[in-house]
Amino acid sequence: MREKRGRIVYFILIISLIFNVSSLQFSYAADSDSSNLLVNGGFETDIWSGEAWNIEPNNWNYLDINWYNYSDDEWLNGAEGDYGLKYWVKDTALRNGSFTIKQTVSSLEPGYYELSVESMGGSGDVAGQVQLFAGEKTSDVKETNDYNNWETIALEFEVTEESDIEVGANISGKPNAWGYIDNFRLKKVVKPVESDIFIERVEGIPADFIKGVDVSSIISLEESGVKYKNWSGDEQDIFQTLAEAGVNYVRVRIWNDPYDRNGNGYGGGNNDLAKAIEIGKRATANGMKLLVDFHYSDFWADPAKQQVPKAWKNFTFEEKKDALYNYTKESLQSMLNEGIDIDMVQVGNETNGGIAGETEWTKMSELFNAGSKAVKDVDSNILVALHFTNPETVGRYATIAKTLDEYGVQYDVFASSYYPFWHGTLENLTSVLKHVADTYGKKVMVAETSYTYTAEDGDGHENTAPKDAGQVLNYPITVQGQAHAVRDVIEAVVNVGAAGIGVFYWEPAWLPVGSPENLESNKLLWETYGSGWASSYAADYDPEDAGKWYGGSAVDNQALFDFSGHPLASLNIFKYVNTGSVAPLKIDVVKNVSIRANWGDDINLPETVEVIYNNGNIDEVPVTWNENQLNDVLAKGVGTYVVEGTIEGGLTAKAIINILPKNYVINPSFEDSDRSMWKITYGENANPHTGFQNKATDAKSGNYSLHFYSDKQVDFQVEQTITNLEPGYYNFNMFIQGGDANNSEMYIYAKVGNQTYRMNTSVNGWVNWSNPEIKDILITEGTVTVGTVIKADGGAWGTLDDFNLNYTREYKEEQPTNSNTTPPADNSVGDDGQPGNDNSTGNENPVENDNTSGNNNGTEDTASDNNVPNVNDNETGNDITVANDNTTGNNSNKINENRNNKYNELPITATNYTNIFFIGIVFIILGTSMFGCLRRQQNN
């Protein structure tokens, strides 16, 4: 009996196991294809069963159609799953073969749908031809294009009333044509909204995706008189307008004590706890959640500075950690007591290398955990976010996430800043965030992003973008371009998967407090209410940044409202990412034509210009240029000019023509792959630490620059020798940017024979380009070596770019004079510190010569052959011409250091011997006459 019971139990267990496995498999199949309204769209079950698909050929004798298992062909890459449909029009067919594969979908409700299929096959005469249909609507015929080259064919259609719809494909081909189809899908799509802008719907965006904005400056702006309007142009609470536009989250920053000892605000919104509470209450009242961003500083915290609050300055680390915990907990509790809906807290802001004055990861991690514990002790449901930036740097986020894990930091969300003009590609953003999410099980988001809609400045304070260098502007600077940029950032986070939870737009309402013409009154408002990015009072706390550059809004042209407070169409991006939107097709921007030419070169303007439509499409359209303007440009010579043209619809095109003196440096910006004309050498104890970097944001022009960095010592020299130059005077300059260059020695030089001209320079921060220049380099023998020497302590970094050697004027050999001394005419210095020679403008016709370099040394050279004489080396006997500039490098005054007195003596020539003989005769005659006169006087 016991054995019988045991067999029954085993039998029940086996049946349960089979049932559960079957259920799991069924659930998986249903879940994986839940949006597809077709049955067996992937052909994973027998297509000949008649339960889903019907196949109707024009002649079975012409066709071979198979339910095909991809594993039967080891070289074939299936489109989806294990099976597909394979067809072949037999080579014995008397004419083209064709068939229809179709399925009837019952009771399809009204709406918009998309039918699609994956197709691949032969090409040319053996290509298959595929056309989709849904009811009476058909797609264009699409030919297959080679083996394993799968392509998607799609057809969109509308169903106006509930009905049965027959969908499928018509497939045909000439004799011997072949192909495969797979992954038939029918899905309902959301109809795009008609609007002023084009926005493509973001597929797969979750219903609870965070669409947030940071409006921390809003109170100070309103106090300064800024008014915000609704779509009708009437004044309205901005929080209501934001909610109506689809914003569901607000971010607010908190500084501990953003005031000086007299109570004057540092600016940037003067964002203390009281401001955060007021903003939080307004957000909650309009149905939006709040993200609280603790900087743990009294003013801006970012990768460049993480200053400790004044009140914590003299604390021990343990005291600071306790203070951070208590400040976080008490602040959050105060906000919750006001009924604010706090859903997330950010512990620190852009904390790449520091927080609250601590820069060691051991201590940083303890502070992170102190803040995180404070949040969870208040409410365990509140998410804790850590915030970092510069996702474009290879390995940065992977290293940070690993470090946080190793130190046991407790947090929920890994947040990133992402500004399209600085932070690399969107594909990279998705990749680095996905790595953190998948590896460490964290949610990820973008905590800050924005883009420009105009290049205009609204308040008289310079904007951060657009800039001519150091930025990648892949979208038009228009309202449509701004909307596309934000939409694509949202998509990049959605593409991470379920862990990608949202995006915040940074300061979309930081508008001008007044026009640029009213700059003085604007300054008064910035100082009084803290509505600029920084006030002069901030110098007390941040003397090196805010203390020097205080002023207004640097992002008024990146707002989602125009300068008058009216919402831009791009504000609706937060709604349109769910539905998509369409607008009347029009040209959004006409791309400027940029032409750089040397003086005397022919200038041919293009017959077409590139335009970008508001749907993102790019095209070339004919242009008619203003010939009178062009002729004026050709007559004027060196300079930068604008020639206008007209395109369809009366729109204006512009050609920016930059006519330059001929540059005799070969490959001056390193854009060409052949860089053998450049010689790079390193100091005696320095390993190679330079490279030709393909990164437009670090280049002065183009994409490439010469990058340097060493954690031990920076010590290198780069130069090029140029030959076959016309005798005359030349100017030499280059561009350099970088930072962290302690104990530096940096200069450019030009060697002509045994004389070296030199100009000191320096680095002053990222893309703050220095442009040292040496003027009036006299070249008489046709050869010069130009270059630069860069030395600094370990940790220094930067890039060099755009080397230029330009002819300025001809050389006229000085005629000898009777003077006993002849100072060098072209190196003398006048009372004003400028060279005393003729400083002509260089408008003379440049000489066109072959500038082939005689130097064929590449970057692999590592010898420390520093052939630039040291200015203090008195044993060289060389004439060193030194010019100093430790700021921007624009002053090219030269100071002569004549090492040998023979340069100041009258040259010994045949003319001088004649003069000496003539003077001697004169003295003899005068002496004889005087002697005669004395004798006559004595005789008298």
Side-chain angles (χ1 to χ4, degrees):
M1 185 70 180
R2 184 178 300 170
E3 291 179 0
K4 185 175 181 181
R5 289 177 180 173
R7 286 195 296 268
I8 293 173
V9 170
Y10 282 129
F11 177 78
I12 293 173
L13 288 174
I14 291 171
I15 294 298
S16 299
L17 180 61
I18 293 172
F19 176 79
N20 287 331
V21 170
S22 300
S23 298
L24 286 172
Q25 290 176 339
F26 177 80
S27 298
Y28 173 78
D31 290 343
S32 64
D33 210 25
S34 59
S35 65
N36 193 356
L37 300 176
L38 298 178
V39 178
N40 196 22
F43 304 126
E44 294 304 301
T45 59
D46 189 357
I47 64 173
W48 302 114
S49 65
E51 297 177 358
W53 294 104
N54 291 314
I55 298 176
E56 298 177 356
N58 68 335
N59 189 325
W60 275 116
N61 294 325
Y62 294 170
L63 297 165
D64 187 0
I65 301 173
N66 293 294
W67 178 45
Y68 190 75
N69 189 334
Y70 292 135
S71 63
D72 291 344
D73 183 349
E74 62 177 313
W75 305 109
L76 190 150
N77 297 322
E80 182 260 352
D82 297 324
Y83 290 87
L85 183 147
K86 177 183 178 181
Y87 61 89
W88 174 50
V89 181
K90 298 178 180 179
D91 54 4
T92 58
L94 300 179
R95 60 179 184 272
N96 291 357
S98 65
F99 68 96
T100 298
I101 178 171
K102 60 186 180 180
Q103 181 175 142
T104 299
V105 182
S106 301
S107 302
L108 199 61
E109 64 184 24
Y112 289 85
Y113 295 86
E114 181 185 76
L115 176 68
S116 63
V117 71
E118 302 291 320
S119 171
M120 77 92 163
S123 59
D125 289 339
V126 296
Q129 297 182 331
V130 181
Q131 180 189 52
L132 297 181
F133 64 87
E136 300 298 322
K137 189 163 185 179
T138 59
S139 70
D140 294 335
V141 175
K142 178 75 173 180
E143 286 192 350
T144 59
N145 190 27
D146 214 351
Y147 181 69
N148 274 341
N149 185 22
W150 290 96
E151 296 178 296
T152 301
I153 305 170
L155 170 65
E156 293 185 354
F157 62 97
E158 181 183 6
V159 176
T160 57
E161 59 184 25
E162 185 174 312
S163 57
D164 297 344
I165 300 291
E166 196 172 63
V167 300
N170 297 316
I171 300 175
S172 61
K174 298 177 181 179
N176 220 26
W178 59 274
Y180 298 78
I181 58 171
D182 197 357
N183 198 21
F184 250 114
R185 297 183 63 83
L186 176 64
K187 62 181 181 179
K188 192 171 185 179
V189 295
V190 179
K191 180 184 178 182
V193 176
E194 293 185 2
S195 70
D196 297 328
I197 54 176
F198 269 98
I199 293 297
E200 182 182 355
R201 180 177 181 269
V202 175
E203 296 293 336
I205 185 169
D208 60 350
F209 190 83
I210 295 173
K211 303 164 187 173
V213 295
D214 186 324
V215 288
S216 297
S217 63
I218 193 65
I219 305 296
S220 292
L221 290 165
E222 290 174 339
E223 291 173 344
S224 298
V226 177
K227 306 294 183 183
Y228 296 92
K229 303 168 185 174
N230 61 18
W231 300 101
S232 300
D234 301 321
E235 287 187 24
Q236 178 174 286
D237 182 4
I238 186 174
F239 288 86
Q240 180 181 343
T241 305
L242 292 171
E244 291 171 352
V247 175
N248 58 15
Y249 231 109
V250 168
R251 178 177 185 250
V252 62
R253 58 181 169 268
I254 296 181
W255 294 316
N256 291 40
D257 180 24
Y259 302 92
D260 69 8
R261 62 178 62 88
N262 297 316
N264 298 305
Y266 291 160
N270 294 340
N271 288 108
D272 58 7
L273 177 60
K275 288 277 199 320
I277 289 175
E278 185 174 349
I279 291 171
K281 290 169 68 175
R282 291 171 66 180
T284 299
N286 284 277
M288 294 177 280
K289 296 180 180 180
L290 193 72
L291 162 60
V292 182
D293 173 15
F294 287 106
H295 281 223
Y296 301 114
S297 180
D298 289 340
F299 206 37
W300 297 108
D302 53 48
K305 53 185 180 297
Q306 293 281 341
Q307 297 186 76
V308 64
K310 295 185 293 291
W312 302 355
K313 185 175 182 181
N314 296 319
F315 284 4
T316 66
F317 177 71
E318 290 301 320
E319 290 173 336
K320 182 188 294 186
K321 186 167 63 172
D322 290 341
L324 188 147
Y325 171 86
N326 292 326
Y327 179 74
T328 305
K329 184 176 181 180
E330 293 168 5
S331 297
L332 289 177
Q333 193 60 60
S334 297
M335 299 180 78
L336 290 173
N337 292 343
E338 296 289 338
I340 297 172
D341 186 7
I342 300 174
D343 195 59
M344 192 185 311
V345 172
Q346 194 176 298
V347 178
N349 191 79
E350 293 189 334
T351 54
N352 287 26
I355 180 173
E358 301 295 340
T359 57
E360 296 178 1
W361 275 95
T362 302
K363 293 182 177 180
M364 288 170 59
S365 298
E366 290 189 46
L367 294 180
F368 287 142
N369 274 335
S372 178
K373 184 177 187 303
V375 174
K376 298 298 184 180
D377 284 351
V378 172
D379 186 342
S380 60
N381 294 318
I382 296 176
L383 296 174
V384 174
L386 301 183
H387 180 203
F388 307 96
T389 189
N390 299 112
E392 79 283 4
T393 305
V394 176
R396 182 186 297 276
Y397 281 8
T399 300
I400 290 175
K402 181 180 179 182
T403 303
L404 294 171
D405 184 65
E406 290 174 346
Y407 282 105
V409 177
Q410 302 299 308
Y411 68 104
D412 304 302
V413 183
F414 188 102
S416 173
S417 292
Y418 178 81
Y419 293 95
F421 32 78
W422 289 326
H423 291 152
T425 67
L426 290 162
E427 293 77 13
N428 177 70
L429 175 67
T430 300
S431 176
V432 296
L433 292 181
K434 185 171 176 57
H435 171 79
V436 174
D438 293 348
T439 305
Y440 302 102
K442 303 299 179 182
K443 302 177 188 296
V444 295
M445 72 178 189
V446 167
E448 295 180 16
T449 192
S450 66
Y451 197 76
T452 57
Y453 76 90
T454 177
E456 293 183 21
D457 167 41
D459 63 0
H461 181 82
E462 184 180 3
N463 292 325
T464 56
K467 298 290 187 184
D468 292 333
Q471 295 181 348
V472 177
L473 301 164
N474 287 331
Y475 301 89
I477 302 175
T478 62
V479 174
Q480 178 69 70
Q482 181 186 53
H484 278 314
V486 181
R487 181 259 172 212
D488 289 351
V489 174
I490 291 173
E491 182 181 53
V493 176
V494 170
N495 287 343
V496 170
I501 63 171
V503 171
F504 287 85
Y505 195 96
W506 195 73
E507 290 287 3
W510 204 336
L511 303 186
V513 298
S515 65
E517 294 76 20
N518 299 317
L519 181 58
E520 293 307 314
S521 61
N522 294 347
K523 290 180 179 179
L524 181 61
L525 292 171
W526 298 333
E527 293 286 292
T528 303
Y529 300 107
S531 50
W533 89 268
S535 72
S536 63
Y537 305 114
D540 178 59
Y541 183 71
D542 182 17
E544 295 303 318
D545 189 8
K548 293 180 180 179
W549 310 108
Y550 60 88
S553 173
V555 293
D556 52 29
N557 66 331
Q558 298 181 52
L560 297 177
F561 295 78
D562 66 21
F563 292 163
S564 68
H566 192 281
L568 299 173
S570 50
L571 178 62
N572 278 324
I573 185 67
F574 301 106
K575 290 190 300 187
Y576 293 162
V577 290
N578 288 85
T579 62
S581 66
V582 293
L585 186 66
K586 64 179 182 179
I587 292 175
D588 186 42
V589 66
V590 182
K591 299 291 288 291
N592 289 338
V593 175
S594 295
I595 295 178
R596 290 167 61 95
N598 293 320
W599 194 93
D601 290 351
D602 292 334
I603 297 177
N604 297 311
L605 296 182
E607 295 180 355
T608 61
V609 292
E610 185 176 279
V611 298
I612 302 176
Y613 289 89
N614 54 345
N615 66 352
N617 289 344
I618 300 174
D619 200 1
E620 296 280 339
V621 299
V623 59
T624 302
W625 297 107
N626 187 317
E627 292 294 333
N628 292 331
Q629 290 181 357
L630 180 58
N631 291 333
D632 288 344
V633 169
L634 297 176
K636 289 178 179 177
V638 174
T640 301
Y641 310 96
V642 176
V643 174
E644 294 183 342
T646 304
I647 64 170
E648 62 182 56
L651 296 176
T652 299
K654 292 182 179 180
I656 313 299
I657 303 176
N658 189 9
I659 301 179
L660 307 168
K662 181 177 177 64
N663 185 5
Y664 290 92
V665 178
I666 302 173
N667 199 7
S669 303
F670 314 110
E671 300 297 318
D672 296 334
S673 59
D674 179 10
R675 304 181 181 100
S676 59
M677 67 292 298
W678 290 103
K679 177 182 178 182
I680 300 178
T681 54
Y682 301 93
E684 183 176 356
N685 298 317
N687 293 320
H689 50 275
T690 65
F692 297 107
Q693 175 180 265
N694 183 4
K695 189 177 182 182
T697 52
D698 285 353
K700 184 65 176 68
S701 67
N703 295 309
Y704 283 88
S705 60
L706 180 63
H707 176 265
F708 64 87
Y709 170 77
S710 175
D711 59 354
K712 295 181 174 60
Q713 179 186 14
V714 171
D715 185 359
F716 73 95
Q717 169 185 333
V718 55
E719 67 178 19
Q720 181 179 141
T721 298
I722 304 163
T723 60
N724 299 323
L725 297 173
E726 181 78 10
Y729 290 92
Y730 292 76
N731 292 347
F732 169 60
N733 68 81
M734 53 80 75
F735 287 86
I736 181 173
Q737 65 90 25
D740 300 327
N742 297 318
N743 298 315
S744 66
E745 179 184 8
M746 302 181 181
Y747 58 88
I748 63 171
Y749 62 86
K751 287 188 61 180
V752 183
N754 65 351
Q755 185 174 18
T756 297
Y757 300 77
R758 176 173 139 174
M759 168 67 68
N760 288 346
T761 189
S762 62
V763 292
N764 304 296
W766 183 61
V767 300
N768 288 326
W769 291 95
S770 295
N771 182 212
E773 183 173 24
I774 303 172
K775 292 185 176 180
D776 294 330
I777 303 167
L778 176 59
I779 300 174
T780 58
E781 300 298 327
T783 299
V784 64
T785 297
V786 295
T788 185
V789 169
I790 305 295
K791 297 181 181 180
D793 290 347
W797 55 270
T799 55
L800 315 177
D801 205 3
D802 288 4
F803 286 71
N804 287 280
L805 179 70
N806 307 125
Y807 176 95
T808 60
R809 57 193 172 91
E810 65 179 328
Y811 166 66
K812 295 181 180 179
E813 188 172 357
E814 294 290 335
Q815 297 298 320
T817 67
N818 291 332
S819 172
N820 287 328
T821 59
T822 306
D826 294 297
N827 289 328
S828 59
V829 179
D831 293 337
D832 61 351
Q834 297 297 324
N837 55 292
D838 173 23
N839 289 321
S840 63
T841 62
N843 288 331
E844 294 85 1
N845 193 348
V847 179
E848 303 287 339
N849 275 311
D850 177 18
N851 59 347
T852 303
S853 171
N855 187 340
N856 196 34
N857 294 308
T859 60
E860 67 274 12
D861 297 334
T862 58
S864 60
D865 179 19
N866 189 343
N867 55 13
V868 179
N870 190 311
V871 69
N872 296 317
D873 184 2
N874 292 323
E875 297 178 1
T876 62
N878 291 334
D879 181 15
I880 309 296
T881 303
V882 182
N884 293 308
D885 180 4
N886 292 319
T887 54
T888 62
N890 291 324
N891 184 355
S892 61
N893 299 341
K894 298 190 293 292
I895 301 174
N896 278 321
E897 294 190 7
N898 294 317
R899 301 297 178 82
N900 195 317
N901 288 334
K902 69 180 182 179
Y903 293 119
N904 290 323
E905 296 175 353
L906 189 67
I908 299 175
T909 64
T911 302
N912 289 340
Y913 281 119
T914 302
N915 291 340
I916 293 171
F917 177 76
F918 176 75
I919 292 171
I921 294 297
V922 171
F923 274 112
I924 291 173
I925 294 173
L926 288 174
T928 302
S929 299
M930 292 176 65
F931 179 76
C933 290
L934 290 173
R935 287 291 302 271
R936 285 194 294 273
Q937 289 177 0
Q938 290 176 353
N939 291 336
N940 293 332

